Amino acid sequence: VDSDGAEATVVVKNPCNFPIEFYSLDFDEQYLEEEKILRMAVGSKHPQNFLMPPRAVGGTLPPEVLEDYQEQKTLEAQQAELKAEAEAKVEAEAMGEAAPASHTAVTPYPEPVVKVTGNPLSRAVMRHLGIEPSSQGLEAQQHRGIVVIIHGTPRAGKTEVAAALCHYYGAAHLSIDTVVKEAIADD
């Protein structure tokens, strides 16, 4: 990039089915804008590494992140407008003039909505995974669990380990022997 016209041939081989996308961190305007948006969305309270849903080549950030960014920009504009109005009022009062009337009504940003909906990156990942962000959806998701399969040689203590894990986590225990016996009994 910083050379005086030197040319080089680069051969890129893609051993997988995912497409490869090339871009320059110095010149790609979309990348630079997306970095700014992500910095605002993630903020300083989150680690530098975070999960995001995959996107198609040339695609944009998830809509949840873009909507949050627009809301943040609107909030900043409203706060700047309120600050300018307050400064104008103080200045007018100092000069003995009547304070200018406000021309537009500014609606403050609804804080409770932010607390309920959560982080825009989390919402994007939840949408990608098909998790419903409503309270009923989250409750249903919490009732889903994982299945642990304990495998080993005969008389290795698998049943005791499984029973101990089920007791510790309050989970159900299912033995393959029981399943086979019930299947035979039910034809």
Side-chain angles (χ1 to χ4, degrees), residues 16-170:
C16 63
N17 294 331
F18 299 108
I20 296 177
E21 182 176 16
F22 292 94
Y23 57 92
S24 168
L25 299 180
D26 297 324
F27 304 115
D28 190 338
E29 294 296 324
Q30 179 182 351
Y31 171 81
L32 297 173
E33 182 67 21
E34 288 176 355
E35 281 294 309
K36 185 171 94 175
I37 292 170
L38 285 173
R39 278 192 204 97
M40 183 178 273
V42 173
S44 60
K45 60 187 172 223
H46 296 285
Q48 290 183 344
N49 296 329
F50 50 88
L51 293 175
M52 279 187 52
R55 59 183 180 176
V57 173
T60 62
L61 292 172
E64 295 85 354
V65 175
L66 296 174
E67 290 166 7
D68 183 71
Y69 177 71
Q70 290 303 323
E71 290 171 0
Q72 293 291 337
K73 296 301 281 182
T74 302
L75 175 61
E76 287 177 0
Q78 290 174 350
Q79 289 174 342
E81 185 179 332
L82 288 173
K83 184 178 178 182
E85 286 179 8
E87 289 173 357
K89 183 177 179 182
V90 168
E91 189 176 305
E93 288 175 357
M95 298 178 79
E97 300 173 1
S102 178
H103 299 301
T104 59
V106 178
T107 306
Y109 189 70
E111 286 297 327
V113 172
V114 174
K115 292 177 185 171
V116 171
T117 57
N119 179 321
L121 293 171
S122 298
R123 291 192 319 265
V125 170
M126 287 174 68
R127 177 184 50 80
H128 175 71
L129 295 175
I131 299 172
E132 177 63 37
S134 69
S135 59
Q136 295 91 357
L138 290 175
E139 186 177 323
Q141 199 68 24
Q142 289 172 350
H143 291 296
R144 296 169 88 189
I146 61 170
V147 175
V148 177
I149 299 173
I150 300 175
H151 176 73
T153 59
R155 300 189 152 284
K158 300 180 295 294
T159 303
E160 289 79 15
V161 170
L165 285 171
C166 290
H167 176 72
Y168 181 80
Y169 288 108

